[in-house]
């Protein structure tokens, strides 16, 4: 769920930064991840891969591109609630992953219940690191570009150590 929220934020950011090809690819990935007809393992892998790849592109664009059009600011503002929710959910991933590992150590048969999640477990550290780094850029970028909702996003994240 964290990666899906984060991908929604990335979609709006790509629109804000006029990166239309990336926005379209992200929209297709979001649709794929939401489609329960696709296998869970493929959906999870797609979500983490897309979020990580997008983070690299967004990081470069946010560092390079300082100004936004009025329309760009509207898209940027649309990204903030998704970014905040994705970041808040992302913070829960490492403790949840550790809990899963402890459960597996206590009961090796528990691994059979995890199925598709095991495919993305190794991707979680990279995702968390990337989301923290780019999440900070998204919020600070919103403030520096005077995007509506930047202060609310900062407050919502509170004392979260990004």
């Amino acid at each position: 769920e964290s990666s899906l929220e984060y991908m929604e934020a990335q979609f709006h950011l790509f629109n804000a930064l006029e990166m239309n090809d990336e926005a379209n690819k992200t929209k297709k990935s979001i649709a794929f991840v939401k489609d329960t007809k696709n296998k869970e393992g493929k959906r999870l892998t797609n979500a983490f891969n897309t979020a990580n790849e997008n983070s690299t592109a967004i990081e470069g664009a946010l560092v390079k591109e300082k100004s936004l059009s009025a329309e760009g600011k509207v898209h940027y503002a649309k990204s903030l609630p998704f970014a905040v929710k994705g970041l808040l959910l992302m913070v829960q991933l490492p403790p949840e992953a550790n809990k899963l590992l402890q459960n597996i150590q206590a009961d090796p048969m528990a691994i059979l219940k995890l199925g598709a999640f095991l495919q993305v477990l190794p991707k979680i550290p990279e995702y968390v690191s990337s989301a923290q780094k780019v999440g900070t850029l998204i919020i600070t970028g919103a403030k520096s570009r005077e995007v509506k909702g930047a202060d609310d996003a900062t407050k919502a994240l509170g004392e979260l150590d990004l």
Side-chain angles (χ1 to χ4, degrees), residues 78-125:
K78 287 180 183 178
S79 77
L80 293 175
F82 293 107
V84 168
K85 189 170 182 186
L87 288 168
L88 291 173
L89 290 168
M90 176 269 309
V91 174
Q92 298 171 7
L93 286 174
E96 289 295 320
N98 282 336
K99 193 162 62 171
L100 282 174
L101 290 174
Q102 289 171 355
N103 287 344
I104 291 169
Q105 289 171 343
D107 177 13
M109 295 306 288
I111 201 166
L112 298 175
K113 297 175 188 169
L114 297 177
F117 188 73
L118 289 176
Q119 295 174 5
V120 296
L121 199 57
K123 296 178 184 291
I124 289 175

Side-chain angles (χ1 to χ4, degrees), residues 15-35:
N15 282 323
L17 298 165
E18 298 178 8
M19 298 172 73
N20 299 330
D21 290 343
E22 290 85 350
N24 289 333
K25 288 178 193 173
T26 302
K27 189 174 186 172
K28 288 178 184 175
S29 288
I30 291 168
F32 181 86
V33 172
K34 286 182 174 180
D35 187 349

Side-chain angles (χ1 to χ4, degrees), residues 24-156:
N24 289 333
K25 288 178 193 173
T26 302
K27 189 174 186 172
K28 288 178 184 175
S29 288
I30 291 168
F32 181 86
V33 172
K34 286 182 174 180
D35 187 349
T36 56
K37 293 177 186 171
N38 296 317
K39 290 184 178 183
E40 186 178 13
K42 288 186 177 188
R43 291 173 35 223
L44 289 169
T45 300
N46 181 291
F48 279 99
N49 287 343
T50 299
N52 285 336
E53 290 169 14
N54 286 352
S55 288
T56 302
I58 287 171
E59 180 181 2
L62 286 176
V63 170
K64 185 177 87 174
E65 187 64 43
K66 299 295 181 199
S67 63
L68 293 173
S69 66
E71 184 180 351
K73 285 186 178 187
V74 170
H75 284 292
Y76 204 125
K78 287 180 183 178
S79 77
L80 293 175
F82 293 107
V84 168
K85 189 170 182 186
L87 288 168
L88 291 173
L89 290 168
M90 176 269 309
V91 174
Q92 298 171 7
L93 286 174
E96 289 295 320
N98 282 336
K99 193 162 62 171
L100 282 174
L101 290 174
Q102 289 171 355
N103 287 344
I104 291 169
Q105 289 171 343
D107 177 13
M109 295 306 288
I111 201 166
L112 298 175
K113 297 175 188 169
L114 297 177
F117 188 73
L118 289 176
Q119 295 174 5
V120 296
L121 199 57
K123 296 178 184 291
I124 289 175
E126 178 188 1
Y127 168 72
V128 169
S129 174
S130 174
Q132 286 177 325
K133 183 177 180 182
V134 177
T136 300
L137 272 175
I138 291 169
I139 303 303
T140 58
K143 289 177 90 171
S144 70
R145 291 169 177 87
E146 299 177 353
V147 172
K148 185 178 179 182
D151 290 335
D152 293 337
T154 302
K155 287 177 191 170

